[in-house]
Amino acid sequence: GENVEQHPSTLSVQEGDSAVIKCTYSDSASNYFPWYKQELGKGPQLIIDIRSNVGEKKDQRIAVTLNKTAKHFSLHITETQPEDSAVYFCAASRNDYKLSFGAGTTVTVRA
Amino acid sequence: GAGVSQSPSNKVTEKGKDVELRCDPISGHTALYWYRQSLGQGLEFLIYFQGNSAPDKSGLPSDRFSAERTGGSVSTLTIQRTQQEDSAVYLCASRIGGTDNEQFFGPGTRLTVL
């Protein structure tokens, strides 16, 4: 099955700086890569996703890049704000319906 | 509109007891998932329902775990003879189906087995 590894497990950044989270996947047939944000006491929420036919996707301060050859993808958050503090999960899927999640990254934005 | 709801929000039980966790998906969503989130871990897939198709039970960790979805809407996850290692947050998600991939998660049920 698919194995998704996520790094780092924790990330502390100064407000206004950028944050980068990296994930690798094992199944070369995976073609869908979403990122979820989980705030304390809540369920995860989709923030951005990318398909394997696209190398980069951007939505305001967040962007995701995908390198199919190396089987890794990354989340970039620019101009971080306190409300960006949360746990972020990457995931990969080969069939659209079943996601394999990384272990999560706890992001703390220092004021 | 209403999102995915789960009940109870917290459940404390004694080892060996059975528990039932409930999920109410978003109305009209044909796909429903159960995940388990242990402390500091990612989401572990348990089971997937899609319409009237046979569910994908490949993630259920043991035969003590079962789930059903009645009338294509509400789902119940049952854990029999609970063990301490079952302690975790159980998350439910629903998806509208078809080519739309986004899964909408409920707030989860925190299960503690003493």
Side-chain angles (χ1 to χ4, degrees):
Chain A
E2 174 69 274
N3 181 44
V4 178
E5 294 191 355
Q6 183 172 347
H7 300 280
S9 57
T10 61
L11 180 60
S12 180
V13 296
Q14 188 70 37
E15 183 176 357
D17 287 351
S18 295
V20 180
I21 304 170
K22 298 182 179 182
C23 289
T24 61
Y25 60 99
S26 61
D27 187 350
S28 57
S30 288
N31 57 15
Y32 175 64
F33 308 91
W35 286 87
Y36 281 80
K37 175 183 180 182
Q38 185 176 27
E39 297 177 340
L40 199 60
K42 298 183 179 180
Q45 182 176 9
L46 180 71
I47 56 171
I48 194 167
D49 56 12
I50 192 168
R51 289 200 167 274
S52 59
N53 57 347
V54 175
E56 183 175 359
K57 185 176 179 180
K58 190 173 182 180
D59 183 3
Q60 299 182 344
R61 296 187 297 107
I62 59 173
V64 57
T65 58
L66 171 65
N67 183 326
K68 287 174 56 181
T69 303
K71 289 190 285 187
H72 68 70
F73 56 113
S74 301
L75 178 72
H76 304 252
I77 307 173
T78 59
E79 300 171 22
T80 53
Q81 301 170 4
E83 54 264 36
D84 295 329
S85 295
V87 180
Y88 292 81
F89 293 97
C90 63
S93 173
R94 68 183 310 190
N95 56 22
D96 285 356
Y97 79 84
K98 191 171 177 179
L99 297 176
S100 296
F101 284 86
T105 297
T106 300
V107 174
T108 303
V109 179
R110 308 186 306 272
Chain B
V4 177
S5 60
Q6 292 186 246
S7 61
S9 55
N10 282 282
K11 176 73 176 178
V12 180
T13 191
E14 293 180 348
K15 177 182 172 181
K17 294 288 179 71
D18 298 350
V19 296
E20 285 190 354
L21 312 180
R22 178 187 169 105
C23 172
D24 284 83
I26 294 173
S27 178
H29 281 199
T30 62
L32 186 147
Y33 303 77
W34 284 97
Y35 294 91
R36 179 167 68 177
Q37 186 174 28
S38 301
L39 189 63
Q41 300 296 313
L43 281 71
E44 176 189 5
F45 167 82
L46 297 178
I47 189 168
Y48 163 71
F49 295 91
Q50 172 60 61
N52 295 321
S53 301
D56 178 350
K57 304 180 182 179
S58 60
L60 295 179
S62 76
D63 58 8
R64 296 187 296 104
F65 288 72
S66 63
E68 61 178 26
R69 188 179 186 193
T70 54
S73 181
V74 172
S75 178
T76 303
L77 176 69
T78 301
I79 309 174
Q80 296 179 310
R81 306 180 302 281
T82 52
Q83 303 295 312
Q84 288 185 332
E85 59 263 30
D86 298 335
S87 296
V89 175
Y90 289 83
L91 291 161
C92 174
S94 70
R95 182 171 64 88
I96 195 167
T99 57
D100 193 321
N101 298 104
E102 184 173 0
Q103 295 185 26
F104 294 83
F105 283 83
T109 293
R110 180 174 297 278
L111 174 67
T112 303
V113 182
L114 301 177

